[in-house]
Amino acid sequence: MKATQRDYAQAAQKAGKALRICFFCGADEAGASAAAKKVIATLDEPGERVELSGQDLKSDPSRLLDEARSTSLFGDSRHIYARVSGEDAHEAIKTYCELADLGDAAGAWPIFIVATSATDKSRSAKLLIKRADALVAIFYPPDLRSVTADVRAMADAAGMRLNGNLAERIAHAAGLDVRLAQSEVDKLALYLDASPQSPKQANPDDFDMIGASTEEDGFMPLVNAALGGEVRKLPGELRRMREVSLNPVAVTLALERRAAQLARLSANLRPGDDMQQFLKSQGVFFREHREIGDQLQRWSGGKLERLVPRLTQLHRSLLANSQTAELILSQELAQIARYAAARR
């Protein structure tokens, strides 16, 4: 079956224990990852997590089903979590479907696949969409309004009431990443000692005390310097990244989200459109009009098609090389900035 970011939870709940494999895809990698986490949390006994990469499945397609049929060392329950790019999992999914149809997947542990750079039109997704034991959920790039609504829901669940535009501020500070927004809400609830049993009112001053990511000291100045070709500004932003200990993977996530946003906007932009009016009609935050408008002129068409998978590969490289992640990210950002600058 197929679902979107709005109804995947209901679809998963409706399928119940018949659901054996979930495929989360689309441009919003953060939303897809958060959704996988949410569905896993609904399992009666999630048990041990077995993590697989796209390379694991690409080199050994039978491993997905083998791991799903294996028992843990202590005989406990388990679930399989695979993070892949594009069609890396296609052959593994195909093998799973063929053997499942023969009855060889009976009693297998649930499988959750987060596929960056894949869509519901991909070959992998098409193998699963019509299956009763599978769910394909597509996640589109979030906008400020939807993430603000998510933040309010997070706050309600944590026992907090948010004053004024604080929910919007948290959403913007997190770069529209629902995982980072959840982290900020959790920290704010802890700071206020809030809970559903003891609700608290949260004010902007409270967020100032705990907020780690803001427009001034967060990811976006670094993202904008790279994608905007600001080669002279980039060294200072890289220095700031080290000084305030920005997480390289989190910075890359912000880059991926901006690239996905640019791809969506570029697809809708028509020759002769007034840029300011266009951005406003697309729901782009007004303070980002200048940066995004400039980046749209630098990254369009085939340039974006090459940038998105490159960022996905960067993400994987950082996860695999945590000790040198900062250096790898700095080198890649410098190359991106030089390429963007050449388009002036």
Side-chain angles (χ1 to χ4, degrees), residues 111 120 124 203 309 323:
I111 298 169
D120 54 334
S124 297
N203 299 303
Q323 297 299 317

Side-chain angles (χ1 to χ4, degrees), residues 22-334:
C22 296
F23 186 82
F24 302 95
C25 59
D28 181 16
E29 187 273 342
S33 297
K37 180 179 179 181
K38 186 178 293 186
V39 176
I40 290 170
T42 66
L43 298 177
D44 291 337
E45 294 182 40
E48 174 192 5
R49 170 182 289 197
V50 178
E51 296 194 4
L52 299 173
S53 68
Q55 187 57 42
D56 292 333
L57 299 182
K58 201 170 183 179
S59 60
D60 184 4
S62 64
R63 186 173 176 184
L64 183 65
L65 184 57
D66 288 344
E67 292 287 359
R69 292 187 299 187
S70 299
T71 57
S72 71
L73 183 62
F74 301 101
D76 299 325
S77 59
R78 55 166 40 184
H79 64 275
I80 315 303
Y81 183 91
R83 186 184 186 89
V84 307
S85 175
E87 298 285 14
D88 284 354
H90 177 263
E91 291 303 317
I93 293 173
K94 183 179 179 182
T95 300
Y96 171 89
C97 292
E98 290 172 349
L99 295 178
D101 290 341
L102 295 174
D104 289 345
W109 303 114
I111 298 169
F112 301 88
I113 301 173
V114 176
T116 59
S117 302
T119 72
D120 54 334
K121 302 296 191 297
S122 65
R123 291 184 300 145
S124 297
K126 289 179 179 179
L127 289 172
L128 300 172
I129 284 178
K130 295 183 179 180
R131 296 184 63 89
D133 62 349
L135 170 66
V136 173
I138 178 75
F139 293 81
Y140 300 101
D143 55 35
L144 185 60
R145 180 180 299 178
S146 65
V147 179
T148 297
D150 288 339
V151 170
R152 291 194 181 280
M154 295 172 193
D156 289 341
M160 288 191 299
R161 294 184 295 271
L162 304 182
N163 271 349
N165 64 349
L166 183 53
E168 180 177 313
R169 182 179 168 192
I170 292 174
H172 185 64
L176 304 187
D177 186 324
V178 290
R179 293 170 300 183
L180 296 178
Q182 182 68 68
S183 176
E184 295 302 297
V185 169
D186 291 344
K187 287 191 294 182
L188 187 57
L190 182 63
Y191 174 74
L192 294 174
D193 194 25
S195 70
Q197 295 74 33
S198 179
K200 296 290 191 304
Q201 191 80 42
N203 299 303
D205 289 344
D206 299 320
F207 185 58
D208 287 339
M209 295 297 295
I210 62 93
S213 301
T214 66
E215 187 176 4
E216 291 74 29
D217 62 4
F219 309 131
M220 296 318 297
L222 181 53
V223 169
N224 288 330
L227 294 180
E230 299 179 270
V231 292
R232 294 183 178 180
K233 184 177 179 181
L234 186 63
E237 287 299 327
L238 292 174
R239 183 168 56 252
R240 183 180 64 83
M241 178 181 74
R242 293 188 293 271
E243 290 173 350
V244 302
S245 300
L246 290 180
N247 186 300
V249 174
V251 173
T252 304
L253 283 171
L255 276 164
E256 290 178 298
R257 288 192 302 275
R258 173 55 62 81
Q261 182 184 23
L262 293 176
R264 176 178 64 84
L265 293 172
S266 180
N268 295 333
L269 184 63
R270 298 291 179 264
D273 281 350
D274 178 82
M275 184 62 73
Q276 293 302 313
Q277 290 300 319
F278 169 74
L279 295 176
K280 183 177 180 180
S281 70
Q282 295 294 309
V284 176
F285 189 56
F286 75 93
R287 292 182 180 174
E288 297 180 330
H289 281 191
R290 182 180 64 82
E291 290 85 358
I292 291 180
D294 177 66
Q295 290 162 24
L296 272 174
Q297 294 176 343
R298 296 173 184 279
W299 301 93
S300 59
K303 306 296 191 301
L304 273 172
E305 291 177 4
R306 289 190 288 274
L307 176 65
V308 172
R310 181 164 183 163
L311 292 176
T312 300
Q313 182 57 48
L314 171 62
H315 191 154
R316 295 169 62 182
S317 297
L318 297 181
L319 292 175
N321 301 277
S322 58
Q323 297 299 317
T324 57
E326 193 174 277
L327 176 60
I328 293 172
L329 177 62
S330 297
Q331 292 174 336
E332 186 67 17
L333 290 179

